[in-house]
Structure formats: structure tokens, C-alpha cells
Amino acid sequence: MTSGIEKLPRARVNFLPTPLTELRRLAHVLEGPRILMKRDDLTGLALGGNKTRKLEFLLGDALSQNCDTVITGGAIQSNHCRQTAAAAAAVGLKCHLALGGESPSFPEGNLLLDLLFGAIIHWCGEQRKGERIPEIAEQLRSQGRRPYVIPYGGSNAIGAMGFVDAISEVKGQLSAQNISVDCLIFPSSSGGTHAGITVGADLYDLSMRVIGIAIDRTEPGEPSYESELATLANQIAEKLGIEARYDAGSFQVRYDYFGGGYAVVGELEREAILLVGKYEGVLLDPVYTARAMGGLIDMIRNKEFSSRDTVLFWHTGGIPALFEHARELVPR
Ligand SMILES: Cc1ncc(COP(=O)(O)O)c(C=O)c1O
């Protein structure tokens, strides 16, 4: 199937396709469905992660507009910011990051990597979702720079194209092995991954339940996260010139696994990291993939899947944050 996606500019800042693997030992221990894993922790740039798919399109756009700087923002341990800093370095753009919190006495995890990639950090206190990006972009313009603004999480219609494209990639891998998937599970936060996957599944005709595990929202607010996802999905569809249209009901988000809050590592996350580590030799990150995998494990234990089902878990990366949370993770 062709769509407008082939015409969009890209910067190849990743190594695709990522592997599609099977978690046989974990499935055996859980006595549940067949579990596949899409290894986007292996996207190849700067310890991997889902954001390099978005950055392929975002930086392609930045370069096509002749920008010389990128600016984005997020939490102090933002994986998105770390991957943006690395991708910018790889294509020769300056990178400014608006990070929540204050400068720590010693940089750890993703923040250490941001600095190694030469990013310029703007400390933003309570504002951890890139609220100060427009103001910093304005300052850069007044200094004669040509900044390209990447929103929080890289979640606009351009960034989300990376996940439309990812569905074409995984569909090829599934078809080659003659596998059909009943349900796809992944962490959902700023929405680009979720919206891109949903449009991609329609565009490339990959029929399955798509369930995002909410990472930093407790319940639908006003406007609901699902409405935000629908707005983004409609923007993607319009940009691609396809007819599909979405509303809040097009999205399934599970809010049951929020635990102690964003980036608070609880028993759900600890158990998921230890089980997947012990039985598969695969690392999950403490904030996103451990929460989503903890949700999947809980759903399996609650018999939401049968042993005949195939579940695809999308590993979205985030590994450097493990080291920031080392104290909570040491096996007891
Ligand atoms: C490791 C990881 N997984 C999942 C997500 C969620 O992706 P999205 O923001 O597109 O919803 C993020 C976002 O920062 C992430 O860093």
C-alpha cells in the first residue's frame, strides 16, 4: 500500500528494522498467551528507544527547512530528550533541551547522556512537559538562529509518522512468519506512538486490539487523553491524505497501572523488570516499559487472554533510566 508517507523527508538516525522476538520462557512461566516483543530498545541510536522513529521524520523536516538548531523538552530523565540530543548530534544540528527540575549535583542516566551529546540544558523547575519551549525558541531566533521546535514527546503528526511506518515494518515481519496478532500492548504517554500505531494499523490493514497502558495519567481528564489521541490521529490521516477519521472511542487506554505516579517505581514495575530479566535476559526500563509489562502480566493473571492468543508487546526503550533508579531495583 502506498501513501503520502514515502514523500516525507527523513533523516536516517536509526537502524531499522528492529528485531521481532518471542518471549517463550516468560509465556511459559505465566501460563498465558504467546508473547512476542518488538525490540525498539534496539533502534540503534544512543541506547535505543521509540523516539528515534519519530526523530527520523522530525529531523528530516528540520533539515528540509534549513534549520540549524532543534529544541525540545521533557522530564529530567526524558528518553525523548536524550534521543533528540543524539540524533541532532548525528546530523549536525545544535540541540537545546527544556528539562523539568533543577541542575543536580551529579548528572545520571539520560541527563548524563544529554550532556555527552553536547545538548544545552535549560532548567525549568516544575515545568517538565516542555512548557518553556516557545520562549526559548524565541530567544534563539533573536540570537539569529533557526530553531526547529519539537513538541513534548515528539508527538505531533510529523513525529507520529515514525509509528505509522513502524506498523508497515512489523506487518512485514509478521507476514513473513505467518503470525497473526490478537492484541498489541505498549506504554502510552504523550500519544505519538499510540496515534501513529492506530493510523498505521488501518493504513496497512493490520487488524488487532491496540491497548496503550497509561504511564503518566490517572484517568480520562477534560479533554480526555483519548480525545487528544483522536485529534492527533486525524491530523496524521489528513497529512497522509487517507480517509480514516477517529474519535475518542477509537482508542483503548488502561489507567489501572498508574501506581504511585509518574516515574515512581512500585512492585508492579519491579516484578516486571525482574521477571523479564530473569526469564528472557531482556532489560525493561523502570518508567515506561516496566509499567506496561506489569500491566500485561496482570491482564494475563486475570485471564484476559486465552492460551491460543498472541500478544505483541512493543518494547519502546528507556534503558538509561534504569541506572537513575538503581536503588529501587536491586533484587531483595
Ligand atoms: C521508553 C518510552 N516508552 C514509551 C513512551 C511513550 O511514547 P509516547 O510519548 O509516544 O506516548 C516514551 C515517551 O517518552 C518513552 O520514553
Side-chain angles (χ1 to χ4, degrees), residues 49-51 54 77-80 82-83 152-155 163 186-194 215 225 229 262 285 287-289 315-319:
N50 60 337
K51 305 297 180 173
K54 300 180 182 181
Q77 281 299 323
S78 165
N79 297 302
H80 161 66
R82 178 248 313 164
Q83 288 161 93
Y152 175 67
S155 285
F163 269 88
F186 55 96
S188 186
S189 174
S190 66
T193 303
H194 202 151
I215 299 301
Y225 182 41
L229 289 170
Y262 176 70
D285 86 287
V287 179
Y288 295 90
T289 51
H315 191 324
T316 50
I319 304 305

Short mmCIF file of all heavy atoms in Angstrom, two decimals, residues 49-51 54 77-80 82-83 152-155 163 186-194 215 225 229 262 285 287-289 315-319, ligand 1:
data_model
loop_
_atom_site.label_atom_id
_atom_site.label_comp_id
_atom_site.label_asym_id
_atom_site.label_seq_id
_atom_site.Cartn_x
_atom_site.Cartn_y
_atom_site.Cartn_z
N GLY A 49 15.34 3.15 21.63
CA GLY A 49 14.07 3.71 22.09
C GLY A 49 13.15 4.11 20.95
O GLY A 49 13.59 4.26 19.80
N ASN A 50 11.86 4.26 21.28
CA ASN A 50 10.84 4.54 20.27
C ASN A 50 11.00 5.90 19.60
O ASN A 50 10.56 6.10 18.48
CB ASN A 50 9.43 4.41 20.87
CG ASN A 50 9.15 5.37 22.02
OD1 ASN A 50 10.07 5.84 22.68
ND2 ASN A 50 7.89 5.63 22.27
N LYS A 51 11.63 6.85 20.29
CA LYS A 51 11.64 8.22 19.76
C LYS A 51 12.50 8.36 18.51
O LYS A 51 12.32 9.31 17.76
CB LYS A 51 12.11 9.21 20.83
CG LYS A 51 11.32 9.15 22.11
CD LYS A 51 9.86 9.51 21.95
CE LYS A 51 9.15 9.42 23.28
NZ LYS A 51 7.79 9.91 23.26
N LYS A 54 10.35 8.63 15.55
CA LYS A 54 9.75 9.96 15.35
C LYS A 54 10.80 10.92 14.82
O LYS A 54 10.53 11.75 13.93
CB LYS A 54 9.19 10.49 16.67
CG LYS A 54 8.11 9.63 17.30
CD LYS A 54 7.64 10.27 18.59
CE LYS A 54 6.59 9.44 19.30
NZ LYS A 54 6.11 10.06 20.54
N GLN A 77 14.81 12.95 33.28
CA GLN A 77 15.26 11.66 32.74
C GLN A 77 14.56 11.34 31.42
O GLN A 77 14.38 10.16 31.08
CB GLN A 77 15.02 10.54 33.76
CG GLN A 77 16.06 10.49 34.86
CD GLN A 77 17.47 10.25 34.34
OE1 GLN A 77 17.67 9.50 33.38
NE2 GLN A 77 18.44 10.89 34.94
N SER A 78 14.19 12.36 30.65
CA SER A 78 13.46 12.13 29.40
C SER A 78 14.28 11.30 28.39
O SER A 78 15.40 11.68 28.02
CB SER A 78 13.12 13.49 28.78
OG SER A 78 12.72 13.32 27.44
N ASN A 79 13.69 10.20 27.96
CA ASN A 79 14.31 9.40 26.89
C ASN A 79 14.22 10.13 25.56
O ASN A 79 15.11 10.06 24.73
CB ASN A 79 13.59 8.05 26.75
CG ASN A 79 13.71 7.23 28.00
OD1 ASN A 79 14.81 6.93 28.44
ND2 ASN A 79 12.57 6.89 28.61
N HIS A 80 13.09 10.83 25.39
CA HIS A 80 12.89 11.61 24.16
C HIS A 80 13.99 12.66 24.01
O HIS A 80 14.56 12.82 22.92
CB HIS A 80 11.50 12.26 24.22
CG HIS A 80 11.34 13.40 23.28
ND1 HIS A 80 11.36 13.22 21.90
CD2 HIS A 80 11.17 14.73 23.50
CE1 HIS A 80 11.20 14.41 21.32
NE2 HIS A 80 11.09 15.33 22.26
N ARG A 82 17.01 12.67 25.40
CA ARG A 82 18.31 12.01 25.15
C ARG A 82 18.44 11.59 23.68
O ARG A 82 19.47 11.80 23.04
CB ARG A 82 18.44 10.80 26.08
CG ARG A 82 19.70 9.98 25.92
CD ARG A 82 19.44 8.59 25.36
NE ARG A 82 18.34 7.93 26.01
CZ ARG A 82 17.72 6.86 25.51
NH1 ARG A 82 18.11 6.33 24.37
NH2 ARG A 82 16.70 6.31 26.15
N GLN A 83 17.37 11.01 23.12
CA GLN A 83 17.45 10.57 21.72
C GLN A 83 17.49 11.77 20.77
O GLN A 83 18.14 11.72 19.73
CB GLN A 83 16.27 9.64 21.40
CG GLN A 83 16.44 8.28 22.08
CD GLN A 83 15.13 7.50 22.17
OE1 GLN A 83 14.81 6.71 21.31
NE2 GLN A 83 14.36 7.75 23.21
N TYR A 152 6.78 18.33 23.11
CA TYR A 152 6.94 17.34 24.17
C TYR A 152 6.70 15.92 23.63
O TYR A 152 5.69 15.68 22.97
CB TYR A 152 5.92 17.66 25.27
CG TYR A 152 5.87 16.66 26.39
CD1 TYR A 152 6.94 16.52 27.25
CD2 TYR A 152 4.74 15.88 26.59
CE1 TYR A 152 6.90 15.60 28.29
CE2 TYR A 152 4.68 14.96 27.63
CZ TYR A 152 5.77 14.83 28.46
OH TYR A 152 5.73 13.92 29.48
N GLY A 153 7.64 15.05 23.84
CA GLY A 153 7.49 13.66 23.39
C GLY A 153 7.61 13.46 21.89
O GLY A 153 7.47 12.34 21.40
N GLY A 154 7.86 14.53 21.13
CA GLY A 154 7.91 14.41 19.66
C GLY A 154 6.57 14.02 19.08
O GLY A 154 6.48 13.48 17.97
N SER A 155 5.49 14.31 19.85
CA SER A 155 4.18 13.80 19.45
C SER A 155 3.35 14.83 18.68
O SER A 155 2.40 15.41 19.20
CB SER A 155 3.42 13.31 20.69
OG SER A 155 3.96 12.08 21.10
N PHE A 163 5.66 5.98 13.67
CA PHE A 163 4.93 4.79 14.12
C PHE A 163 3.92 4.29 13.09
O PHE A 163 3.57 3.10 13.10
CB PHE A 163 4.34 4.98 15.53
CG PHE A 163 5.35 4.51 16.53
CD1 PHE A 163 6.31 5.36 17.01
CD2 PHE A 163 5.40 3.17 16.88
CE1 PHE A 163 7.31 4.90 17.86
CE2 PHE A 163 6.39 2.70 17.72
CZ PHE A 163 7.34 3.56 18.22
N PHE A 186 1.51 -1.58 24.73
CA PHE A 186 2.69 -0.71 24.78
C PHE A 186 2.41 0.43 25.76
O PHE A 186 1.26 0.72 26.07
CB PHE A 186 2.99 -0.13 23.38
CG PHE A 186 1.80 0.59 22.82
CD1 PHE A 186 1.68 1.97 22.97
CD2 PHE A 186 0.77 -0.11 22.23
CE1 PHE A 186 0.55 2.63 22.51
CE2 PHE A 186 -0.37 0.55 21.78
CZ PHE A 186 -0.48 1.91 21.90
N PRO A 187 3.47 1.13 26.21
CA PRO A 187 3.26 2.29 27.09
C PRO A 187 2.80 3.50 26.27
O PRO A 187 3.32 3.75 25.19
CB PRO A 187 4.65 2.55 27.69
CG PRO A 187 5.62 1.72 26.94
CD PRO A 187 4.90 0.81 26.01
N SER A 188 1.84 4.24 26.80
CA SER A 188 1.28 5.39 26.08
C SER A 188 1.40 6.62 26.97
O SER A 188 0.95 6.60 28.11
CB SER A 188 -0.19 5.08 25.76
OG SER A 188 -0.77 6.08 24.95
N SER A 189 2.01 7.68 26.44
CA SER A 189 2.24 8.84 27.31
C SER A 189 1.92 10.17 26.63
O SER A 189 0.93 10.80 26.93
CB SER A 189 3.69 8.81 27.80
OG SER A 189 4.01 9.96 28.51
N SER A 190 2.76 10.59 25.67
CA SER A 190 2.43 11.85 25.00
C SER A 190 1.58 11.60 23.76
O SER A 190 1.07 12.55 23.16
CB SER A 190 3.70 12.65 24.66
OG SER A 190 4.47 11.99 23.69
N GLY A 191 1.44 10.35 23.34
CA GLY A 191 0.43 9.98 22.36
C GLY A 191 0.89 9.70 20.94
O GLY A 191 0.16 9.09 20.16
N GLY A 192 2.11 10.13 20.59
CA GLY A 192 2.55 9.94 19.20
C GLY A 192 2.66 8.47 18.81
O GLY A 192 2.30 8.08 17.69
N THR A 193 3.13 7.67 19.75
CA THR A 193 3.26 6.24 19.47
C THR A 193 1.87 5.64 19.27
O THR A 193 1.62 4.93 18.27
CB THR A 193 3.98 5.55 20.66
OG1 THR A 193 5.25 6.20 20.84
CG2 THR A 193 4.19 4.08 20.42
N HIS A 194 0.96 5.94 20.17
CA HIS A 194 -0.39 5.36 20.14
C HIS A 194 -1.15 5.80 18.88
O HIS A 194 -1.75 4.97 18.17
CB HIS A 194 -1.12 5.82 21.41
CG HIS A 194 -2.26 4.95 21.80
ND1 HIS A 194 -2.66 4.81 23.10
CD2 HIS A 194 -3.10 4.18 21.08
CE1 HIS A 194 -3.70 3.98 23.16
NE2 HIS A 194 -3.97 3.59 21.94
N ILE A 215 0.89 5.91 31.29
CA ILE A 215 2.10 5.99 32.13
C ILE A 215 2.05 7.18 33.06
O ILE A 215 2.54 7.12 34.18
CB ILE A 215 3.35 6.11 31.22
CG1 ILE A 215 3.48 4.87 30.33
CG2 ILE A 215 4.62 6.33 32.04
CD1 ILE A 215 3.57 3.56 31.07
N TYR A 225 -7.59 12.08 27.38
CA TYR A 225 -6.41 11.66 26.62
C TYR A 225 -6.86 11.04 25.30
O TYR A 225 -6.27 11.28 24.25
CB TYR A 225 -5.60 10.67 27.47
CG TYR A 225 -4.32 10.18 26.83
CD1 TYR A 225 -3.48 11.04 26.12
CD2 TYR A 225 -3.94 8.84 26.93
CE1 TYR A 225 -2.31 10.59 25.53
CE2 TYR A 225 -2.76 8.38 26.35
CZ TYR A 225 -1.95 9.25 25.65
OH TYR A 225 -0.79 8.80 25.06
N LEU A 229 -5.69 11.90 21.53
CA LEU A 229 -5.19 10.89 20.58
C LEU A 229 -5.95 10.97 19.26
O LEU A 229 -5.38 10.87 18.18
CB LEU A 229 -5.32 9.48 21.18
CG LEU A 229 -4.37 9.15 22.33
CD1 LEU A 229 -4.77 7.83 23.01
CD2 LEU A 229 -2.93 9.06 21.84
N TYR A 262 3.87 9.11 38.09
CA TYR A 262 4.85 9.08 37.00
C TYR A 262 6.26 8.85 37.56
O TYR A 262 6.68 9.54 38.50
CB TYR A 262 4.81 10.41 36.22
CG TYR A 262 5.87 10.49 35.15
CD1 TYR A 262 5.79 9.70 34.00
CD2 TYR A 262 6.97 11.33 35.29
CE1 TYR A 262 6.78 9.75 33.04
CE2 TYR A 262 7.96 11.40 34.32
CZ TYR A 262 7.86 10.60 33.20
OH TYR A 262 8.84 10.65 32.24
N ASP A 285 12.74 -0.76 31.00
CA ASP A 285 13.05 0.48 31.73
C ASP A 285 12.06 0.63 32.88
O ASP A 285 10.94 0.10 32.82
CB ASP A 285 13.00 1.70 30.80
CG ASP A 285 11.60 2.25 30.68
OD1 ASP A 285 10.77 1.60 30.01
OD2 ASP A 285 11.30 3.29 31.29
N VAL A 287 10.30 3.20 34.03
CA VAL A 287 9.21 4.18 33.98
C VAL A 287 8.11 3.77 32.99
O VAL A 287 6.92 3.86 33.30
CB VAL A 287 9.76 5.58 33.60
CG1 VAL A 287 8.64 6.62 33.52
CG2 VAL A 287 10.84 6.00 34.60
N TYR A 288 8.49 3.32 31.80
CA TYR A 288 7.52 3.08 30.73
C TYR A 288 7.27 1.58 30.49
O TYR A 288 6.17 1.08 30.70
CB TYR A 288 8.00 3.74 29.43
CG TYR A 288 8.06 5.23 29.51
CD1 TYR A 288 9.20 5.90 29.93
CD2 TYR A 288 6.95 6.01 29.17
CE1 TYR A 288 9.25 7.29 30.02
CE2 TYR A 288 6.99 7.40 29.24
CZ TYR A 288 8.14 8.02 29.68
OH TYR A 288 8.18 9.39 29.76
N THR A 289 8.32 0.89 30.04
CA THR A 289 8.08 -0.50 29.61
C THR A 289 7.81 -1.42 30.79
O THR A 289 7.07 -2.41 30.65
CB THR A 289 9.25 -1.02 28.76
OG1 THR A 289 10.48 -0.78 29.45
CG2 THR A 289 9.29 -0.33 27.42
N HIS A 315 8.39 -3.04 22.89
CA HIS A 315 9.41 -2.54 23.83
C HIS A 315 9.87 -1.18 23.29
O HIS A 315 10.55 -1.11 22.27
CB HIS A 315 10.57 -3.52 23.89
CG HIS A 315 11.55 -3.23 25.00
ND1 HIS A 315 11.88 -1.95 25.39
CD2 HIS A 315 12.25 -4.06 25.80
CE1 HIS A 315 12.74 -2.01 26.39
NE2 HIS A 315 12.98 -3.28 26.66
N THR A 316 9.54 -0.12 24.01
CA THR A 316 9.80 1.23 23.50
C THR A 316 11.10 1.83 24.03
O THR A 316 11.36 3.01 23.81
CB THR A 316 8.61 2.14 23.86
OG1 THR A 316 8.34 1.98 25.26
CG2 THR A 316 7.37 1.80 23.05
N GLY A 317 11.90 1.03 24.73
CA GLY A 317 13.23 1.52 25.14
C GLY A 317 13.24 2.12 26.53
O GLY A 317 12.50 1.70 27.41
N GLY A 318 14.14 3.10 26.73
CA GLY A 318 14.21 3.80 28.02
C GLY A 318 15.27 3.28 28.98
O GLY A 318 15.30 3.66 30.15
N ILE A 319 16.15 2.41 28.48
CA ILE A 319 17.09 1.69 29.34
C ILE A 319 17.95 2.60 30.26
O ILE A 319 18.17 2.26 31.43
CB ILE A 319 18.03 0.79 28.48
CG1 ILE A 319 17.18 -0.16 27.62
CG2 ILE A 319 19.02 0.02 29.34
CD1 ILE A 319 16.20 -1.01 28.40
C1 LIG B 1 10.63 4.47 26.85
C2 LIG B 1 9.39 5.15 26.43
N1 LIG B 1 8.32 4.39 26.13
C3 LIG B 1 7.14 4.93 25.75
C4 LIG B 1 6.99 6.31 25.66
C5 LIG B 1 5.65 6.84 25.28
O1 LIG B 1 5.59 7.24 23.95
P1 LIG B 1 4.61 8.43 23.56
O2 LIG B 1 5.13 9.64 24.27
O3 LIG B 1 4.71 8.50 22.09
O4 LIG B 1 3.25 8.10 24.05
C6 LIG B 1 8.08 7.13 25.96
C7 LIG B 1 7.92 8.59 25.92
O5 LIG B 1 8.71 9.34 26.41
C8 LIG B 1 9.31 6.54 26.35
O6 LIG B 1 10.38 7.29 26.65
#
